[in-house]
Amino acid sequence: VHDDELHELALSFPLAVGGINAAVAAAATVTAGPVDRVALGAGVRAALADRFGGMAERVDAAVGWDDVILPPDTRDQLRALVARVRHAYRVFEDWRFPRGTARGGGVAALFTGPPGTGKTTVASLIAHELGRDLYRVDLSQIVSKWVGETEKQLGRVFAAAEAGHAVLLFDEADALFARRTEVKSASDRYANLEVNYLLQRVETWRGITILTTNLDASIDPALRRRLAAHITFWPPEHAERVTLWGRYLTTGAPVADVDLEALADDFPDMSGANIRNAALTAAFLAADGDTSITQELLERAARAEYRSMGRVLGGRA
């Protein structure tokens, strides 16, 4: 391993001596030859996995700008968020802009919108753009009925993420960052203490936190004041639905002459995830019948997806 590669690893993963020893030992187990940068990176991730202790899982998805279909305004907001991380030193140190309330220099962003609109995918995009790993926090392993245990677990997660310069993703963040309530019982007081701790930790840590929720109104207002960005994800418009249908059908599978405009018109309530599910179902139906993916199969699959969404079919659908 060259000196410049070791320098890059040291900057990317500010581990203590024990963490470095564990990472090197893990790296030696993934390669039969000399330990190189790839093996060291794998070893560092293994050491971080031990630190997370099952409370967060690495999301391994290399998503680029060409992989997401977004309105121009949303894309601009995301580019501004990435720029905020990349150029923080220039703006805050060289240009001496005030940091606002974020004492730790970190960045917190809230993504709101209906399910299937790409919030988690975009979190992967941001991590990939910044050259960092994305870890999804497992709330079932975090939240505890025992007093103080939730805060303790969260402290471990933030410490591990800080050591690995990781991006933390809290899916369904309203479960943790819920609006504080009037204290009428001991459980209310402890729930409010958990939210207070989270708000303080997000404000003081030096990394990137991405929160997603389908319930915008339930998020505590104090969190909003600490956000670098609040981005709303809307269901795709007609042109975006046409593009999504075309993208999911351009995979090398045999596709007959299909009418993407009709699909976008007949199923207007579909999100990107719904369109992906319908296209996949049509592909399995085509494989089962040893045929191409036809308009009829796509409409059958889309109708089934629409029913699963609880939507009423109308028009030609």
PDB file of all heavy atoms in Angstrom, residues 68-101:
ATOM      1  N   VAL A  68     -31.614   8.145 -11.318  1.00  0.00           N
ATOM      2  CA  VAL A  68     -32.814   8.636 -10.635  1.00  0.00           C
ATOM      3  C   VAL A  68     -33.592   9.565 -11.559  1.00  0.00           C
ATOM      4  O   VAL A  68     -33.010  10.348 -12.314  1.00  0.00           O
ATOM      5  CB  VAL A  68     -32.461   9.370  -9.317  1.00  0.00           C
ATOM      6  CG1 VAL A  68     -31.887   8.398  -8.308  1.00  0.00           C
ATOM      7  CG2 VAL A  68     -31.481  10.505  -9.558  1.00  0.00           C
ATOM      8  N   ILE A  69     -34.909   9.440 -11.517  1.00  0.00           N
ATOM      9  CA  ILE A  69     -35.804  10.300 -12.297  1.00  0.00           C
ATOM     10  C   ILE A  69     -36.452  11.272 -11.323  1.00  0.00           C
ATOM     11  O   ILE A  69     -37.280  10.882 -10.493  1.00  0.00           O
ATOM     12  CB  ILE A  69     -36.885   9.481 -13.021  1.00  0.00           C
ATOM     13  CG1 ILE A  69     -36.251   8.351 -13.838  1.00  0.00           C
ATOM     14  CG2 ILE A  69     -37.745  10.380 -13.889  1.00  0.00           C
ATOM     15  CD1 ILE A  69     -35.332   8.824 -14.930  1.00  0.00           C
ATOM     16  N   LEU A  70     -36.063  12.548 -11.409  1.00  0.00           N
ATOM     17  CA  LEU A  70     -36.530  13.549 -10.452  1.00  0.00           C
ATOM     18  C   LEU A  70     -36.894  14.835 -11.177  1.00  0.00           C
ATOM     19  O   LEU A  70     -36.298  15.163 -12.215  1.00  0.00           O
ATOM     20  CB  LEU A  70     -35.435  13.855  -9.420  1.00  0.00           C
ATOM     21  CG  LEU A  70     -34.983  12.709  -8.512  1.00  0.00           C
ATOM     22  CD1 LEU A  70     -33.712  13.105  -7.791  1.00  0.00           C
ATOM     23  CD2 LEU A  70     -36.079  12.358  -7.513  1.00  0.00           C
ATOM     24  N   PRO A  71     -37.831  15.606 -10.624  1.00  0.00           N
ATOM     25  CA  PRO A  71     -38.110  16.930 -11.193  1.00  0.00           C
ATOM     26  C   PRO A  71     -36.879  17.830 -11.064  1.00  0.00           C
ATOM     27  O   PRO A  71     -36.060  17.653 -10.154  1.00  0.00           O
ATOM     28  CB  PRO A  71     -39.263  17.455 -10.320  1.00  0.00           C
ATOM     29  CG  PRO A  71     -39.833  16.251  -9.644  1.00  0.00           C
ATOM     30  CD  PRO A  71     -38.696  15.283  -9.486  1.00  0.00           C
ATOM     31  N   PRO A  72     -36.738  18.804 -11.953  1.00  0.00           N
ATOM     32  CA  PRO A  72     -35.558  19.691 -11.905  1.00  0.00           C
ATOM     33  C   PRO A  72     -35.372  20.383 -10.565  1.00  0.00           C
ATOM     34  O   PRO A  72     -34.237  20.511 -10.079  1.00  0.00           O
ATOM     35  CB  PRO A  72     -35.847  20.700 -13.025  1.00  0.00           C
ATOM     36  CG  PRO A  72     -36.744  19.974 -13.978  1.00  0.00           C
ATOM     37  CD  PRO A  72     -37.594  19.083 -13.122  1.00  0.00           C
ATOM     38  N   ASP A  73     -36.456  20.838  -9.940  1.00  0.00           N
ATOM     39  CA  ASP A  73     -36.320  21.545  -8.664  1.00  0.00           C
ATOM     40  C   ASP A  73     -35.765  20.628  -7.574  1.00  0.00           C
ATOM     41  O   ASP A  73     -34.908  21.041  -6.773  1.00  0.00           O
ATOM     42  CB  ASP A  73     -37.679  22.098  -8.208  1.00  0.00           C
ATOM     43  CG  ASP A  73     -38.129  23.274  -9.060  1.00  0.00           C
ATOM     44  OD1 ASP A  73     -37.299  23.787  -9.827  1.00  0.00           O
ATOM     45  OD2 ASP A  73     -39.305  23.657  -8.961  1.00  0.00           O
ATOM     46  N   THR A  74     -36.242  19.392  -7.529  1.00  0.00           N
ATOM     47  CA  THR A  74     -35.744  18.435  -6.535  1.00  0.00           C
ATOM     48  C   THR A  74     -34.278  18.117  -6.792  1.00  0.00           C
ATOM     49  O   THR A  74     -33.471  18.027  -5.855  1.00  0.00           O
ATOM     50  CB  THR A  74     -36.583  17.147  -6.567  1.00  0.00           C
ATOM     51  OG1 THR A  74     -37.958  17.468  -6.360  1.00  0.00           O
ATOM     52  CG2 THR A  74     -36.120  16.179  -5.497  1.00  0.00           C
ATOM     53  N   ARG A  75     -33.927  17.955  -8.055  1.00  0.00           N
ATOM     54  CA  ARG A  75     -32.529  17.686  -8.409  1.00  0.00           C
ATOM     55  C   ARG A  75     -31.625  18.835  -7.971  1.00  0.00           C
ATOM     56  O   ARG A  75     -30.527  18.617  -7.460  1.00  0.00           O
ATOM     57  CB  ARG A  75     -32.434  17.441  -9.915  1.00  0.00           C
ATOM     58  CG  ARG A  75     -31.109  16.867 -10.401  1.00  0.00           C
ATOM     59  CD  ARG A  75     -31.208  16.552 -11.879  1.00  0.00           C
ATOM     60  NE  ARG A  75     -32.037  15.385 -12.111  1.00  0.00           N
ATOM     61  CZ  ARG A  75     -31.571  14.156 -12.327  1.00  0.00           C
ATOM     62  NH1 ARG A  75     -30.256  13.955 -12.319  1.00  0.00           N
ATOM     63  NH2 ARG A  75     -32.383  13.158 -12.545  1.00  0.00           N
ATOM     64  N   ASP A  76     -32.095  20.057  -8.155  1.00  0.00           N
ATOM     65  CA  ASP A  76     -31.309  21.228  -7.729  1.00  0.00           C
ATOM     66  C   ASP A  76     -31.115  21.233  -6.217  1.00  0.00           C
ATOM     67  O   ASP A  76     -30.026  21.563  -5.717  1.00  0.00           O
ATOM     68  CB  ASP A  76     -32.003  22.517  -8.172  1.00  0.00           C
ATOM     69  CG  ASP A  76     -31.871  22.778  -9.656  1.00  0.00           C
ATOM     70  OD1 ASP A  76     -31.029  22.117 -10.299  1.00  0.00           O
ATOM     71  OD2 ASP A  76     -32.620  23.615 -10.185  1.00  0.00           O
ATOM     72  N   GLN A  77     -32.154  20.896  -5.473  1.00  0.00           N
ATOM     73  CA  GLN A  77     -32.040  20.845  -4.010  1.00  0.00           C
ATOM     74  C   GLN A  77     -31.009  19.811  -3.580  1.00  0.00           C
ATOM     75  O   GLN A  77     -30.239  20.034  -2.641  1.00  0.00           O
ATOM     76  CB  GLN A  77     -33.392  20.524  -3.393  1.00  0.00           C
ATOM     77  CG  GLN A  77     -34.390  21.665  -3.397  1.00  0.00           C
ATOM     78  CD  GLN A  77     -35.705  21.259  -2.753  1.00  0.00           C
ATOM     79  OE1 GLN A  77     -36.490  20.505  -3.329  1.00  0.00           O
ATOM     80  NE2 GLN A  77     -35.932  21.736  -1.543  1.00  0.00           N
ATOM     81  N   LEU A  78     -30.993  18.672  -4.252  1.00  0.00           N
ATOM     82  CA  LEU A  78     -30.044  17.612  -3.901  1.00  0.00           C
ATOM     83  C   LEU A  78     -28.614  18.015  -4.244  1.00  0.00           C
ATOM     84  O   LEU A  78     -27.682  17.738  -3.481  1.00  0.00           O
ATOM     85  CB  LEU A  78     -30.421  16.319  -4.611  1.00  0.00           C
ATOM     86  CG  LEU A  78     -31.726  15.671  -4.132  1.00  0.00           C
ATOM     87  CD1 LEU A  78     -32.140  14.531  -5.056  1.00  0.00           C
ATOM     88  CD2 LEU A  78     -31.576  15.162  -2.706  1.00  0.00           C
ATOM     89  N   ARG A  79     -28.442  18.662  -5.383  1.00  0.00           N
ATOM     90  CA  ARG A  79     -27.093  19.127  -5.744  1.00  0.00           C
ATOM     91  C   ARG A  79     -26.596  20.167  -4.732  1.00  0.00           C
ATOM     92  O   ARG A  79     -25.408  20.195  -4.391  1.00  0.00           O
ATOM     93  CB  ARG A  79     -27.094  19.701  -7.156  1.00  0.00           C
ATOM     94  CG  ARG A  79     -27.267  18.647  -8.250  1.00  0.00           C
ATOM     95  CD  ARG A  79     -26.966  19.207  -9.628  1.00  0.00           C
ATOM     96  NE  ARG A  79     -27.175  18.229 -10.668  1.00  0.00           N
ATOM     97  CZ  ARG A  79     -26.278  17.295 -11.021  1.00  0.00           C
ATOM     98  NH1 ARG A  79     -25.109  17.245 -10.397  1.00  0.00           N
ATOM     99  NH2 ARG A  79     -26.546  16.437 -11.982  1.00  0.00           N
ATOM    100  N   ALA A  80     -27.501  21.009  -4.258  1.00  0.00           N
ATOM    101  CA  ALA A  80     -27.115  22.001  -3.248  1.00  0.00           C
ATOM    102  C   ALA A  80     -26.725  21.322  -1.945  1.00  0.00           C
ATOM    103  O   ALA A  80     -25.792  21.760  -1.252  1.00  0.00           O
ATOM    104  CB  ALA A  80     -28.265  22.978  -3.020  1.00  0.00           C
ATOM    105  N   LEU A  81     -27.420  20.217  -1.604  1.00  0.00           N
ATOM    106  CA  LEU A  81     -27.088  19.483  -0.386  1.00  0.00           C
ATOM    107  C   LEU A  81     -25.701  18.849  -0.496  1.00  0.00           C
ATOM    108  O   LEU A  81     -24.896  18.914   0.451  1.00  0.00           O
ATOM    109  CB  LEU A  81     -28.144  18.405  -0.134  1.00  0.00           C
ATOM    110  CG  LEU A  81     -27.931  17.495   1.080  1.00  0.00           C
ATOM    111  CD1 LEU A  81     -27.884  18.314   2.372  1.00  0.00           C
ATOM    112  CD2 LEU A  81     -29.027  16.444   1.159  1.00  0.00           C
ATOM    113  N   VAL A  82     -25.404  18.247  -1.640  1.00  0.00           N
ATOM    114  CA  VAL A  82     -24.078  17.658  -1.855  1.00  0.00           C
ATOM    115  C   VAL A  82     -23.006  18.747  -1.805  1.00  0.00           C
ATOM    116  O   VAL A  82     -21.942  18.574  -1.199  1.00  0.00           O
ATOM    117  CB  VAL A  82     -24.037  16.905  -3.200  1.00  0.00           C
ATOM    118  CG1 VAL A  82     -22.609  16.475  -3.531  1.00  0.00           C
ATOM    119  CG2 VAL A  82     -24.956  15.685  -3.162  1.00  0.00           C
ATOM    120  N   ALA A  83     -23.288  19.887  -2.430  1.00  0.00           N
ATOM    121  CA  ALA A  83     -22.325  20.997  -2.424  1.00  0.00           C
ATOM    122  C   ALA A  83     -22.082  21.501  -1.012  1.00  0.00           C
ATOM    123  O   ALA A  83     -20.962  21.910  -0.670  1.00  0.00           O
ATOM    124  CB  ALA A  83     -22.837  22.130  -3.314  1.00  0.00           C
ATOM    125  N   ARG A  84     -23.106  21.473  -0.175  1.00  0.00           N
ATOM    126  CA  ARG A  84     -22.951  21.943   1.202  1.00  0.00           C
ATOM    127  C   ARG A  84     -21.929  21.102   1.955  1.00  0.00           C
ATOM    128  O   ARG A  84     -21.171  21.614   2.787  1.00  0.00           O
ATOM    129  CB  ARG A  84     -24.309  21.896   1.917  1.00  0.00           C
ATOM    130  CG  ARG A  84     -24.288  22.492   3.310  1.00  0.00           C
ATOM    131  CD  ARG A  84     -25.634  22.352   3.979  1.00  0.00           C
ATOM    132  NE  ARG A  84     -25.619  22.959   5.297  1.00  0.00           N
ATOM    133  CZ  ARG A  84     -26.136  24.142   5.593  1.00  0.00           C
ATOM    134  NH1 ARG A  84     -26.701  24.868   4.646  1.00  0.00           N
ATOM    135  NH2 ARG A  84     -26.083  24.617   6.814  1.00  0.00           N
ATOM    136  N   VAL A  85     -21.901  19.804   1.677  1.00  0.00           N
ATOM    137  CA  VAL A  85     -20.932  18.929   2.335  1.00  0.00           C
ATOM    138  C   VAL A  85     -19.546  19.109   1.721  1.00  0.00           C
ATOM    139  O   VAL A  85     -18.543  19.237   2.424  1.00  0.00           O
ATOM    140  CB  VAL A  85     -21.386  17.467   2.228  1.00  0.00           C
ATOM    141  CG1 VAL A  85     -20.354  16.542   2.870  1.00  0.00           C
ATOM    142  CG2 VAL A  85     -22.747  17.281   2.887  1.00  0.00           C
ATOM    143  N   ARG A  86     -19.481  19.134   0.384  1.00  0.00           N
ATOM    144  CA  ARG A  86     -18.194  19.206  -0.309  1.00  0.00           C
ATOM    145  C   ARG A  86     -17.446  20.501  -0.016  1.00  0.00           C
ATOM    146  O   ARG A  86     -16.224  20.519   0.096  1.00  0.00           O
ATOM    147  CB  ARG A  86     -18.418  19.074  -1.817  1.00  0.00           C
ATOM    148  CG  ARG A  86     -18.614  17.650  -2.300  1.00  0.00           C
ATOM    149  CD  ARG A  86     -18.762  17.634  -3.785  1.00  0.00           C
ATOM    150  NE  ARG A  86     -18.796  16.261  -4.293  1.00  0.00           N
ATOM    151  CZ  ARG A  86     -19.315  15.926  -5.456  1.00  0.00           C
ATOM    152  NH1 ARG A  86     -19.843  16.854  -6.237  1.00  0.00           N
ATOM    153  NH2 ARG A  86     -19.298  14.668  -5.858  1.00  0.00           N
ATOM    154  N   HIS A  87     -18.167  21.586   0.096  1.00  0.00           N
ATOM    155  CA  HIS A  87     -17.512  22.896   0.172  1.00  0.00           C
ATOM    156  C   HIS A  87     -17.727  23.572   1.525  1.00  0.00           C
ATOM    157  O   HIS A  87     -17.646  24.808   1.629  1.00  0.00           O
ATOM    158  CB  HIS A  87     -18.041  23.791  -0.957  1.00  0.00           C
ATOM    159  CG  HIS A  87     -17.874  23.187  -2.319  1.00  0.00           C
ATOM    160  ND1 HIS A  87     -16.648  22.906  -2.863  1.00  0.00           N
ATOM    161  CD2 HIS A  87     -18.807  22.773  -3.222  1.00  0.00           C
ATOM    162  CE1 HIS A  87     -16.816  22.360  -4.071  1.00  0.00           C
ATOM    163  NE2 HIS A  87     -18.106  22.264  -4.295  1.00  0.00           N
ATOM    164  N   ALA A  88     -17.973  22.767   2.554  1.00  0.00           N
ATOM    165  CA  ALA A  88     -18.220  23.333   3.885  1.00  0.00           C
ATOM    166  C   ALA A  88     -17.017  24.136   4.377  1.00  0.00           C
ATOM    167  O   ALA A  88     -17.182  25.222   4.953  1.00  0.00           O
ATOM    168  CB  ALA A  88     -18.557  22.218   4.868  1.00  0.00           C
ATOM    169  N   TYR A  89     -15.817  23.612   4.163  1.00  0.00           N
ATOM    170  CA  TYR A  89     -14.633  24.303   4.681  1.00  0.00           C
ATOM    171  C   TYR A  89     -14.485  25.672   4.019  1.00  0.00           C
ATOM    172  O   TYR A  89     -14.224  26.684   4.696  1.00  0.00           O
ATOM    173  CB  TYR A  89     -13.377  23.477   4.434  1.00  0.00           C
ATOM    174  CG  TYR A  89     -12.156  24.066   5.103  1.00  0.00           C
ATOM    175  CD1 TYR A  89     -11.828  23.743   6.420  1.00  0.00           C
ATOM    176  CD2 TYR A  89     -11.329  24.971   4.433  1.00  0.00           C
ATOM    177  CE1 TYR A  89     -10.717  24.306   7.049  1.00  0.00           C
ATOM    178  CE2 TYR A  89     -10.226  25.538   5.043  1.00  0.00           C
ATOM    179  CZ  TYR A  89      -9.922  25.196   6.354  1.00  0.00           C
ATOM    180  OH  TYR A  89      -8.832  25.762   6.972  1.00  0.00           O
ATOM    181  N   ARG A  90     -14.640  25.745   2.700  1.00  0.00           N
ATOM    182  CA  ARG A  90     -14.472  27.018   2.002  1.00  0.00           C
ATOM    183  C   ARG A  90     -15.492  28.048   2.486  1.00  0.00           C
ATOM    184  O   ARG A  90     -15.152  29.200   2.772  1.00  0.00           O
ATOM    185  CB  ARG A  90     -14.617  26.825   0.495  1.00  0.00           C
ATOM    186  CG  ARG A  90     -14.659  28.138  -0.278  1.00  0.00           C
ATOM    187  CD  ARG A  90     -14.849  27.940  -1.757  1.00  0.00           C
ATOM    188  NE  ARG A  90     -13.647  27.387  -2.369  1.00  0.00           N
ATOM    189  CZ  ARG A  90     -13.504  27.221  -3.694  1.00  0.00           C
ATOM    190  NH1 ARG A  90     -14.489  27.554  -4.506  1.00  0.00           N
ATOM    191  NH2 ARG A  90     -12.390  26.717  -4.180  1.00  0.00           N
ATOM    192  N   VAL A  91     -16.754  27.631   2.575  1.00  0.00           N
ATOM    193  CA  VAL A  91     -17.818  28.581   2.920  1.00  0.00           C
ATOM    194  C   VAL A  91     -17.728  29.028   4.377  1.00  0.00           C
ATOM    195  O   VAL A  91     -17.832  30.218   4.687  1.00  0.00           O
ATOM    196  CB  VAL A  91     -19.201  27.966   2.616  1.00  0.00           C
ATOM    197  CG1 VAL A  91     -20.322  28.862   3.145  1.00  0.00           C
ATOM    198  CG2 VAL A  91     -19.364  27.746   1.113  1.00  0.00           C
ATOM    199  N   PHE A  92     -17.504  28.052   5.282  1.00  0.00           N
ATOM    200  CA  PHE A  92     -17.529  28.385   6.711  1.00  0.00           C
ATOM    201  C   PHE A  92     -16.193  28.906   7.232  1.00  0.00           C
ATOM    202  O   PHE A  92     -16.161  29.772   8.108  1.00  0.00           O
ATOM    203  CB  PHE A  92     -17.952  27.171   7.530  1.00  0.00           C
ATOM    204  CG  PHE A  92     -19.399  26.775   7.320  1.00  0.00           C
ATOM    205  CD1 PHE A  92     -19.744  25.463   7.068  1.00  0.00           C
ATOM    206  CD2 PHE A  92     -20.410  27.727   7.380  1.00  0.00           C
ATOM    207  CE1 PHE A  92     -21.062  25.100   6.868  1.00  0.00           C
ATOM    208  CE2 PHE A  92     -21.728  27.374   7.185  1.00  0.00           C
ATOM    209  CZ  PHE A  92     -22.062  26.054   6.930  1.00  0.00           C
ATOM    210  N   GLU A  93     -15.098  28.381   6.710  1.00  0.00           N
ATOM    211  CA  GLU A  93     -13.784  28.782   7.222  1.00  0.00           C
ATOM    212  C   GLU A  93     -13.164  29.897   6.399  1.00  0.00           C
ATOM    213  O   GLU A  93     -12.779  30.934   6.934  1.00  0.00           O
ATOM    214  CB  GLU A  93     -12.848  27.561   7.263  1.00  0.00           C
ATOM    215  CG  GLU A  93     -13.376  26.403   8.107  1.00  0.00           C
ATOM    216  CD  GLU A  93     -13.576  26.772   9.562  1.00  0.00           C
ATOM    217  OE1 GLU A  93     -12.855  27.661  10.051  1.00  0.00           O
ATOM    218  OE2 GLU A  93     -14.465  26.179  10.200  1.00  0.00           O
ATOM    219  N   ASP A  94     -13.058  29.701   5.062  1.00  0.00           N
ATOM    220  CA  ASP A  94     -12.428  30.718   4.230  1.00  0.00           C
ATOM    221  C   ASP A  94     -13.317  31.947   4.074  1.00  0.00           C
ATOM    222  O   ASP A  94     -12.851  33.089   4.162  1.00  0.00           O
ATOM    223  CB  ASP A  94     -12.094  30.151   2.849  1.00  0.00           C
ATOM    224  CG  ASP A  94     -10.996  29.093   2.917  1.00  0.00           C
ATOM    225  OD1 ASP A  94     -10.336  29.003   3.974  1.00  0.00           O
ATOM    226  OD2 ASP A  94     -10.800  28.351   1.930  1.00  0.00           O
ATOM    227  N   TRP A  95     -14.610  31.710   3.811  1.00  0.00           N
ATOM    228  CA  TRP A  95     -15.521  32.831   3.569  1.00  0.00           C
ATOM    229  C   TRP A  95     -16.214  33.304   4.847  1.00  0.00           C
ATOM    230  O   TRP A  95     -16.918  34.311   4.835  1.00  0.00           O
ATOM    231  CB  TRP A  95     -16.566  32.445   2.528  1.00  0.00           C
ATOM    232  CG  TRP A  95     -15.985  32.190   1.166  1.00  0.00           C
ATOM    233  CD1 TRP A  95     -14.697  32.393   0.771  1.00  0.00           C
ATOM    234  CD2 TRP A  95     -16.677  31.673   0.037  1.00  0.00           C
ATOM    235  NE1 TRP A  95     -14.528  32.044  -0.542  1.00  0.00           N
ATOM    236  CE2 TRP A  95     -15.741  31.594  -1.033  1.00  0.00           C
ATOM    237  CE3 TRP A  95     -17.983  31.276  -0.207  1.00  0.00           C
ATOM    238  CZ2 TRP A  95     -16.079  31.128  -2.289  1.00  0.00           C
ATOM    239  CZ3 TRP A  95     -18.329  30.812  -1.467  1.00  0.00           C
ATOM    240  CH2 TRP A  95     -17.387  30.734  -2.495  1.00  0.00           C
ATOM    241  N   ARG A  96     -16.039  32.556   5.945  1.00  0.00           N
ATOM    242  CA  ARG A  96     -16.512  32.947   7.276  1.00  0.00           C
ATOM    243  C   ARG A  96     -18.025  33.175   7.362  1.00  0.00           C
ATOM    244  O   ARG A  96     -18.494  34.044   8.082  1.00  0.00           O
ATOM    245  CB  ARG A  96     -15.759  34.183   7.770  1.00  0.00           C
ATOM    246  CG  ARG A  96     -14.260  33.971   7.879  1.00  0.00           C
ATOM    247  CD  ARG A  96     -13.571  35.157   8.494  1.00  0.00           C
ATOM    248  NE  ARG A  96     -12.137  34.951   8.549  1.00  0.00           N
ATOM    249  CZ  ARG A  96     -11.508  34.227   9.474  1.00  0.00           C
ATOM    250  NH1 ARG A  96     -12.211  33.643  10.439  1.00  0.00           N
ATOM    251  NH2 ARG A  96     -10.200  34.080   9.448  1.00  0.00           N
ATOM    252  N   PHE A  97     -18.782  32.355   6.604  1.00  0.00           N
ATOM    253  CA  PHE A  97     -20.227  32.414   6.779  1.00  0.00           C
ATOM    254  C   PHE A  97     -20.596  31.799   8.122  1.00  0.00           C
ATOM    255  O   PHE A  97     -19.969  30.836   8.576  1.00  0.00           O
ATOM    256  CB  PHE A  97     -20.926  31.626   5.661  1.00  0.00           C
ATOM    257  CG  PHE A  97     -21.317  32.477   4.482  1.00  0.00           C
ATOM    258  CD1 PHE A  97     -20.352  32.979   3.619  1.00  0.00           C
ATOM    259  CD2 PHE A  97     -22.643  32.784   4.241  1.00  0.00           C
ATOM    260  CE1 PHE A  97     -20.695  33.757   2.533  1.00  0.00           C
ATOM    261  CE2 PHE A  97     -23.002  33.571   3.160  1.00  0.00           C
ATOM    262  CZ  PHE A  97     -22.034  34.053   2.303  1.00  0.00           C
ATOM    263  N   PRO A  98     -21.620  32.336   8.802  1.00  0.00           N
ATOM    264  CA  PRO A  98     -22.029  31.736  10.088  1.00  0.00           C
ATOM    265  C   PRO A  98     -22.614  30.347   9.861  1.00  0.00           C
ATOM    266  O   PRO A  98     -23.321  30.097   8.888  1.00  0.00           O
ATOM    267  CB  PRO A  98     -23.088  32.710  10.609  1.00  0.00           C
ATOM    268  CG  PRO A  98     -23.597  33.413   9.392  1.00  0.00           C
ATOM    269  CD  PRO A  98     -22.430  33.509   8.443  1.00  0.00           C
ATOM    270  N   ARG A  99     -22.340  29.437  10.789  1.00  0.00           N
ATOM    271  CA  ARG A  99     -22.812  28.068  10.671  1.00  0.00           C
ATOM    272  C   ARG A  99     -24.271  27.915  11.064  1.00  0.00           C
ATOM    273  O   ARG A  99     -24.875  26.889  10.807  1.00  0.00           O
ATOM    274  CB  ARG A  99     -21.972  27.133  11.556  1.00  0.00           C
ATOM    275  CG  ARG A  99     -20.568  26.896  11.038  1.00  0.00           C
ATOM    276  CD  ARG A  99     -19.841  25.905  11.918  1.00  0.00           C
ATOM    277  NE  ARG A  99     -18.497  25.631  11.425  1.00  0.00           N
ATOM    278  CZ  ARG A  99     -18.208  24.686  10.547  1.00  0.00           C
ATOM    279  NH1 ARG A  99     -19.174  23.930  10.061  1.00  0.00           N
ATOM    280  NH2 ARG A  99     -16.971  24.481  10.151  1.00  0.00           N
ATOM    281  N   GLY A 100     -24.854  28.882  11.718  1.00  0.00           N
ATOM    282  CA  GLY A 100     -26.209  28.716  12.213  1.00  0.00           C
ATOM    283  C   GLY A 100     -26.188  27.949  13.513  1.00  0.00           C
ATOM    284  O   GLY A 100     -25.354  28.178  14.373  1.00  0.00           O
ATOM    285  N   THR A 101     -27.098  26.962  13.660  1.00  0.00           N
ATOM    286  CA  THR A 101     -27.218  26.245  14.924  1.00  0.00           C
ATOM    287  C   THR A 101     -26.369  24.990  14.991  1.00  0.00           C
ATOM    288  O   THR A 101     -26.221  24.401  16.053  1.00  0.00           O
ATOM    289  CB  THR A 101     -28.678  25.860  15.181  1.00  0.00           C
ATOM    290  OG1 THR A 101     -29.130  25.017  14.104  1.00  0.00           O
ATOM    291  CG2 THR A 101     -29.561  27.090  15.250  1.00  0.00           C
TER     292      THR A 101
END
